[in-house]
Amino acid sequence: MKFYVDTADVEEIRELSETGLLDGVTTNPSLIAKSNRNVFEVLAEICDLVDGPVSGEVTATDRDGMVTEGRRLHEVSENVMVKVPLTWEGLKACRILNQAGIQVNVTLCFSANQAVLAAKAGATVVSPFVGRLDDIGQDGMALIHDIRLVFDNYQELSTEILVASIRHPMHVLEAAKIGADICTVPPQVLRALATHPLTDTGLEAFLEDWKKTGQNILGET
Ligand code: G3P
């Protein structure tokens, strides 16, 4: 499973990228707004830090506007994957950008039928939002299950499933069990994946016991 981090906070990305665990980054207009920074500067800095795809989202709503903005975003770096919404116009823009050799992330996906259309339009990845479905009392993970099932029925659909709107580690585990290709996770969720209370108490006990031996692995006293 690949891990992307879902943030436009460059310092967070710098810190997380040092682990070597980051396969990419996703941003959206809300995350750019939260960063209070220029979208081109942020994307350029992220691309310098991370080797994988970095999603930057268009804000036009018509096909030609999306294509023009997408090309402009892609000028920042080859790594920029252009994010378009799962609308009729977005699907048309996806096809054009894909044919121009630009990777496309089709976002705001809330049904398996939408995901199939994105795949047929040439999306590199499709982003179903699990948390936002859970928020309205629907089963976000059931959508991931359905998309996996449908994509596996048609080998010609090579679009990867990028699970988005992840809120907690259980979303990641469930997505992995289903066989989703990528999870884009907020930084705090990525960190939470590495923690367990028994790891903390276990380490504490080991270090206490070690102190009693009076030994030092580097040989100094
Ligand atoms: O980047 C798209 C998605 O991950 C947004 O998540 O938490 O705003 O629903 P959220």
Side-chain angles (χ1 to χ4, degrees), residues 9-38:
D9 182 332
V10 176
E11 286 320 306
E12 279 276 28
I13 294 166
R14 190 186 311 282
E15 213 268 312
L16 293 169
S17 69
E18 284 168 9
T19 62
L21 292 170
L22 281 195
D23 299 298
V25 176
T26 49
T27 70
N28 62 38
S30 303
L31 292 170
I32 295 289
K34 194 172 157 198
S35 78
N36 223 3
R37 298 193 53 207
N38 176 277

Side-chain angles (χ1 to χ4, degrees), residues 10-220:
V10 176
E11 286 320 306
E12 279 276 28
I13 294 166
R14 190 186 311 282
E15 213 268 312
L16 293 169
S17 69
E18 284 168 9
T19 62
L21 292 170
L22 281 195
D23 299 298
V25 176
T26 49
T27 70
N28 62 38
S30 303
L31 292 170
I32 295 289
K34 194 172 157 198
S35 78
N36 223 3
R37 298 193 53 207
N38 176 277
V39 62
F40 294 104
E41 283 174 22
V42 170
L43 289 177
E45 288 175 29
I46 298 174
C47 289
D48 280 347
L49 290 170
V50 179
D51 272 342
V54 176
S55 287
E57 188 160 343
V58 301
T59 55
T61 53
D62 63 299
R63 181 197 71 177
D64 292 346
M66 288 189 219
V67 170
T68 306
E69 286 188 2
R71 287 182 186 279
R72 177 69 191 88
L73 290 169
H74 189 254
E75 276 169 20
V76 171
S77 163
E78 274 296 314
N79 285 11
V80 170
M81 182 185 271
V82 174
K83 215 171 175 184
V84 303
L86 212 158
T87 59
W88 206 242
E89 292 297 296
L91 292 171
K92 291 192 263 181
C94 175
R95 161 77 57 215
I96 294 170
L97 290 164
N98 167 262
Q99 282 170 352
I102 295 174
Q103 298 195 92
V104 185
N105 175 351
V106 178
T107 189
L108 290 166
C109 172
F110 293 96
S111 79
N113 284 336
Q114 284 183 314
V116 171
L117 292 181
K120 287 180 68 72
T124 315
V125 301
V126 64
S127 293
F129 280 29
V130 292
R132 292 193 194 185
L133 280 171
D134 291 354
D135 288 346
I136 61 160
Q138 295 188 17
D139 185 350
M141 221 29 85
L143 171 60
I144 305 305
H145 208 278
D146 281 353
I147 298 173
R148 180 75 284 158
L149 202 68
V150 173
F151 281 11
D152 286 350
N153 280 344
Y154 299 95
Q155 294 305 312
E156 69 274 20
L157 300 180
S158 57
T159 300
E160 291 191 305
I161 304 170
L162 192 169
V163 184
S165 189
I166 283 179
R167 300 281 157 76
H168 48 69
M170 283 307 289
H171 275 151
V172 178
L173 176 60
E174 291 304 318
K177 280 156 72 174
I178 292 167
D181 303 285
I182 311 159
C183 278
T184 188
V185 286
Q188 70 276 14
V189 175
L190 191 56
R191 289 201 177 86
L193 296 181
T195 62
H196 194 286
L198 291 180
T199 305
D200 297 339
T201 52
L203 179 60
E204 211 176 300
F206 284 156
L207 294 181
E208 276 307 308
D209 289 342
W210 180 248
K211 232 188 267 173
K212 291 176 205 155
T213 71
Q215 297 178 58
N216 184 324
I217 289 173
L218 296 180
E220 297 143 20

